[in-house]
Amino acid sequence: MVAGIAVAAWISFGRHLFGIGGDLTIIYAATLGVIFAALLVITGLAVGRSARRGFETRAITYAFLVASVVSGILLGLTLPDSTPRGFQTIISGPTEPGLGIAIGIANPLGVIGIATAIIALVLSIRDSRGRITLVESWGDEDESAPVEPA
């Protein structure tokens, strides 16, 4: 949950740490920041609920969660902001062609980050409910009873 809030804060306000925060910060905080925070915090709650109930959280759930966090961190590096010097990103500044490349990468990273967060949320909720087994045990039948031929 803490990582989810940290990633959302990084996406929303990370450019201010490098002195390139601008007019788009409020828009990023109200949209991407809220979406990432909500998805990752709820996923964290579901993982915690799994642990409290004694259920195992699958590795694939953690893989999608990590993929979402990594995408969010990279998104924070490539999101452009409108400054007095024009559009800038953390990794490129205002210089071309790096600025255009960073902006071109930002959109797919946002889509991948949100999609993997949604998948991690669905899987974590499924994990928190436990596994449904089709066969409770192999020894359900009374072994002493004679087996009738078919």
Side-chain angles (χ1 to χ4, degrees):
M1 292 184 334
V2 173
I5 294 171
V7 168
W10 170 252
I11 291 169
S12 301
F13 306 107
R15 289 163 310 286
H16 286 280
L17 297 174
F18 296 88
I20 59 170
D23 300 336
L24 297 175
T25 299
I26 298 299
I27 294 170
Y28 293 144
T31 56
L32 288 171
V34 170
I35 291 169
F36 267 94
L39 289 171
L40 295 177
V41 166
I42 295 170
T43 302
L45 291 172
V47 168
R49 184 176 39 208
S50 296
R52 279 192 314 276
R53 291 181 175 177
F55 299 133
E56 180 182 343
T57 301
R58 294 177 288 180
I60 191 74
T61 304
Y62 287 121
F64 277 107
L65 189 56
V66 168
S68 178
V69 168
V70 169
S71 295
I73 291 169
L74 293 174
L75 176 62
L77 290 171
T78 58
L79 270 178
D81 212 335
S82 178
T83 65
R85 293 180 59 196
F87 281 114
Q88 293 188 42
T89 68
I90 293 172
I91 62 172
S92 71
T95 60
E96 287 293 343
L99 177 64
I101 294 169
I103 291 172
I105 292 172
N107 190 31
L109 284 173
V111 171
I112 291 168
I114 290 173
T116 55
I118 290 170
I119 294 169
L121 175 61
V122 170
L123 291 173
S124 66
I125 290 172
R126 172 66 180 93
D127 292 342
S128 72
R129 294 179 180 165
R131 303 260 177 154
I132 299 174
T133 57
L134 297 175
V135 178
E136 289 298 321
S137 72
W138 292 103
D140 283 344
E141 299 174 347
D142 185 17
E143 294 179 14
S144 62
V147 178
E148 295 181 25

